Amino acid sequence: MTKNKKQNGVESDSTSVDEVVDSQQADDKSADSDNETIETLSYEELFDKNEELENAILRVNAELDNALKRTLVEVEKAHKYGVERLLQELLPVIDNLEHAISNLSDEVSKEDKEGIELTLKSFESTLDKFGMIPIYPLNEEFNPEKHEAVSMEKDKNKKDGEIGNIFQRGWELHSRVLRPARVTVIKN
């Protein structure tokens, strides 16, 4: 549509009434031809189609719920075990403090020994705050998930399969074994 010049401050359209009527008649004819090509579905077909769509919606909702649950579990694991690598790297420090305490000479002062022991206890309590607990299997049965058998030994006072000596204690983080305890196993 083109605009005519302003007459008395009002613009007027140059489209005539005949053009508008012709345009509407053309639209009506195309709509009629569209209606002729569309088949109407029966009630049963519509019912089946509706059922199909409802089932598809249920499946998509179930998939969305499952994805949300998986994501929540993954986020929880990330929070829970995010410090695992750091704690794994700190285990040799604890081992060194334990070796230092067990291998102190007689010439070391009482204060120095207490200082190392307090440092070790402080370190262990910090690890405990993060959910890390030691595996110290004294008088337990051998469990391959938590213990690593270094060798076998005989001991008449213990049953077969029990743990004899503990060479190195293991560590768990929220029930996940970071390092198994290194032990000997009794075999009489």
Side-chain angles (χ1 to χ4, degrees), residues 84-163:
E84 181 176 354
R85 188 167 169 217
L86 171 67
L87 296 176
Q88 193 96 26
E89 294 296 321
L90 292 175
L91 291 180
V93 176
I94 291 175
D95 294 337
N96 291 338
L97 288 171
E98 289 174 341
H99 289 299
I101 290 171
S102 64
N103 295 323
L104 284 174
S105 68
D106 294 335
E107 299 170 3
V108 174
S109 69
K110 182 180 175 183
E111 292 83 18
D112 289 341
K113 183 177 180 181
E114 285 178 4
I116 296 171
E117 288 172 346
L118 287 174
T119 303
L120 180 60
K121 285 181 184 176
S122 169
F123 216 121
E124 289 172 343
S125 69
T126 301
L127 293 177
D128 187 48
K129 290 177 188 173
F130 286 95
M132 192 144 160
I133 56 170
I135 301 171
Y136 200 76
L138 194 59
N139 298 322
E140 290 182 16
E141 286 285 319
F142 179 76
N143 179 351
E145 293 176 2
K146 293 185 175 188
H147 311 134
E148 179 183 336
V150 176
S151 66
M152 306 286 253
E153 67 179 351
K154 291 183 180 184
D155 188 342
K156 300 288 182 191
N157 299 327
K158 294 186 178 184
K159 295 185 236 172
D160 283 355
E162 281 189 15
I163 292 174

Side-chain angles (χ1 to χ4, degrees), residues 60-101:
V60 168
N61 281 337
E63 288 175 14
L64 185 61
D65 286 345
N66 289 338
L68 179 64
K69 288 175 186 173
R70 275 192 309 272
T71 303
L72 290 174
V73 167
E74 289 171 5
V75 167
E76 183 181 328
K77 282 183 181 179
H79 285 294
K80 205 173 194 181
Y81 300 110
V83 294
E84 181 176 354
R85 188 167 169 217
L86 171 67
L87 296 176
Q88 193 96 26
E89 294 296 321
L90 292 175
L91 291 180
V93 176
I94 291 175
D95 294 337
N96 291 338
L97 288 171
E98 289 174 341
H99 289 299
I101 290 171

